[in-house]
């Protein structure tokens, strides 16, 4: 990247749109897959998620393997990594992940949205198995005259079809960070305070994945049969919090699957909004 191009991107966040973040190949094994399932709330009795003889891979495991891409953009100086936050996540599953092996991914900045006082960077990671998009909210990087992008979804007003309770564990963030996201704010009280939090808090992706397990059960599906997922991170969740999820099914014609729209609160605070999970349902 030339000095002139770097100067433009420093001044205009929109100039990052289309920027390639390169390619990476990562290796993992069944131990990583099992640790991930336990970290997002699988029980020891969920043998097809935690026992190597029957193992199926939770599709959201892919997000731990692709975390390098949004981190890479921050390290390039696109935004201030001390103030940027993970705004939302999307995942499209193309093929089930193998229980072990190598995963080759390419990444790029798909879009940059201008929210006025902030910019939102969409980082897209693609492989033969999935397409994942991180939306990163970067204060102070807006005002460059770009498109604002989609507005946040409105809360649903109809009664929910499902009301679910999810108990997070006091050590859940400590477990989840072993999968690759080692940001100190999820384990170190001083780092959390520096980030404006009263104590270490859960990874948003851990919270999102944890909710998909009971949502799948409510939809009559297996969590490993997730094919699409999205959600916005509205407020932090702390290890030990009780999550209350409300889900709405129906409204979408599907031959081989079911979709659940959902919202999640943590001790009365909206934690996830605009949630949508689609599962493949087989007879």
């Amino acid at each position: 990247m030339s000095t002139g191009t770097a100067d433009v991107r420093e001044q205009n966040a929109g100039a990052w749109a289309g920027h390639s973040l390169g390619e990476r190949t990562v290796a993992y094994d069944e131990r990583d897959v099992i640790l991930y399932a336990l970290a997002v709330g699988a029980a020891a009795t969920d043998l097809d998620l935690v026992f190597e003889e029957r193992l199926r891979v939770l599709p959201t495991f892919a997000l731990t393997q692709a975390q390098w891409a949004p981190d890479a953009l921050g390290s390039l100086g696109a935004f201030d990594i001390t103030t940027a936050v993970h705004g939302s996540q999307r995942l499209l599953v193309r093929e089930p992940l193998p229980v072990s092996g190598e995963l080759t991914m390419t990444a790029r900045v798909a879009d940059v949205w201008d929210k006025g006082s902030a910019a939102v960077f969409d980082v897209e990671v693609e492989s033969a198995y999935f397409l994942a998009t991180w939306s990163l909210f970067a204060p102070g990087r807006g005002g460059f005259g770009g498109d604002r992008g989609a507005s946040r979804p409105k809360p649903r007003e109809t009664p929910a079809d499902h009301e679910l309770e999810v108990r997070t564990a006091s050590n859940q963030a400590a477990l989840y960070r072993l999968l690759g996201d080692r940001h100190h704010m999820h384990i170190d009280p001083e780092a959390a305070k520096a980030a404006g939090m009263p104590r270490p808090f859960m990874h948003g992706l851990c919270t999102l994945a944890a909710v998909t397990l009971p949502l799948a059960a409510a939809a009559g599906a297996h969590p490993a049969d997730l094919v699409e997922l999205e959600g916005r991170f509205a407020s932090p969740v702390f290890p030990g919090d009780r999550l209350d999820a409300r889900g709405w099914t129906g409204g979408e014609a599907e031959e081989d699957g079911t979709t659940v729209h959902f919202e999640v609160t943590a001790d009365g605070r909206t934690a996830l909004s605009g949630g949508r999970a689609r599962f493949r349902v087989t007879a």
Side-chain angles (χ1 to χ4, degrees), residues 22-101:
E23 179 180 288
R24 185 170 299 191
T25 298
V26 299
Y28 65 90
D29 59 26
E30 60 190 21
R31 179 181 178 277
D32 301 309
V33 171
I34 293 170
L35 176 60
Y36 176 80
L38 292 170
V40 300
T45 53
D46 296 327
L47 295 185
D48 52 1
L49 296 180
V50 301
F51 180 36
E52 60 275 11
E53 295 297 324
R54 309 180 188 180
L55 197 58
R56 299 186 67 189
V57 184
L58 289 171
T60 47
F61 172 73
L63 301 176
T64 68
Q65 304 303 291
Q67 181 63 46
W68 62 272
D71 290 345
L73 180 60
S75 68
L76 289 174
F79 47 77
D80 184 347
I81 60 174
T82 66
T83 59
V85 296
H86 192 174
S88 66
Q89 183 69 43
R90 298 190 297 278
L91 174 66
L92 172 65
V93 179
R94 291 172 169 163
E95 296 286 345
L97 288 166
V99 297
S100 63

Side-chain angles (χ1 to χ4, degrees), residues 1-13 15-16 19 141:
M1 183 167 64
S2 69
T3 302
T5 302
D7 290 342
V8 169
R9 287 177 176 158
E10 182 177 350
Q11 297 169 13
N12 183 353
W16 284 95
H19 180 77
R141 295 293 277 135

Side-chain angles (χ1 to χ4, degrees), residues 3-281:
T3 302
T5 302
D7 290 342
V8 169
R9 287 177 176 158
E10 182 177 350
Q11 297 169 13
N12 183 353
W16 284 95
H19 180 77
S20 172
L21 296 170
E23 179 180 288
R24 185 170 299 191
T25 298
V26 299
Y28 65 90
D29 59 26
E30 60 190 21
R31 179 181 178 277
D32 301 309
V33 171
I34 293 170
L35 176 60
Y36 176 80
L38 292 170
V40 300
T45 53
D46 296 327
L47 295 185
D48 52 1
L49 296 180
V50 301
F51 180 36
E52 60 275 11
E53 295 297 324
R54 309 180 188 180
L55 197 58
R56 299 186 67 189
V57 184
L58 289 171
T60 47
F61 172 73
L63 301 176
T64 68
Q65 304 303 291
Q67 181 63 46
W68 62 272
D71 290 345
L73 180 60
S75 68
L76 289 174
F79 47 77
D80 184 347
I81 60 174
T82 66
T83 59
V85 296
H86 192 174
S88 66
Q89 183 69 43
R90 298 190 297 278
L91 174 66
L92 172 65
V93 179
R94 291 172 169 163
E95 296 286 345
L97 288 166
V99 297
S100 63
E102 290 189 343
L103 188 59
T104 298
M105 299 162 280
T106 58
R108 68 187 186 102
V109 181
D111 290 293
V112 183
W113 308 105
D114 188 349
K115 300 296 186 180
S117 61
V120 173
F121 293 80
D122 280 357
V123 177
E124 190 175 84
V125 185
E126 186 169 15
S127 80
Y129 298 97
F130 65 87
L131 176 66
T133 305
W134 276 251
S135 289
L136 308 170
F137 185 85
R141 295 293 277 135
F144 55 86
D147 193 319
R148 284 190 60 85
S151 58
R152 65 182 59 183
K154 295 180 180 179
R156 289 181 171 252
E157 298 179 352
T158 57
D161 298 305
H162 310 288
E163 294 190 3
L164 312 167
E165 180 181 303
V166 182
R167 291 280 181 177
T168 64
S170 60
N171 66 345
Q172 200 156 357
L175 279 174
Y176 190 87
R177 67 187 302 271
L178 297 178
L179 278 303
D181 186 339
R182 297 290 186 94
H183 289 99
H184 295 180
M185 63 188 72
H186 299 297
I187 191 72
D188 180 10
E190 293 304 316
K193 289 178 181 177
M197 298 295 171
R199 59 187 184 278
F201 54 100
M202 297 262 286
H203 305 70
L205 290 180
C206 181
T207 301
L208 184 61
V211 172
T212 66
L213 274 65
L215 284 175
H222 192 284
D225 286 328
L226 178 76
V227 290
E228 290 183 61
L229 179 65
E230 61 182 291
R232 290 174 178 256
F233 305 111
S235 66
V237 172
F238 298 96
D241 276 354
R242 186 189 80 183
L243 305 180
D244 293 296
R246 298 191 301 156
W248 293 263
T249 55
E252 297 181 35
E254 300 177 79
E255 294 182 358
D256 62 346
T258 184
T259 297
V260 183
H261 296 267
F262 62 93
E263 297 172 356
V264 178
T265 59
D267 290 342
R269 310 180 313 273
T270 299
L272 292 172
S273 65
R276 177 177 177 271
R278 181 174 179 271
F279 300 93
R280 182 180 297 107
V281 177

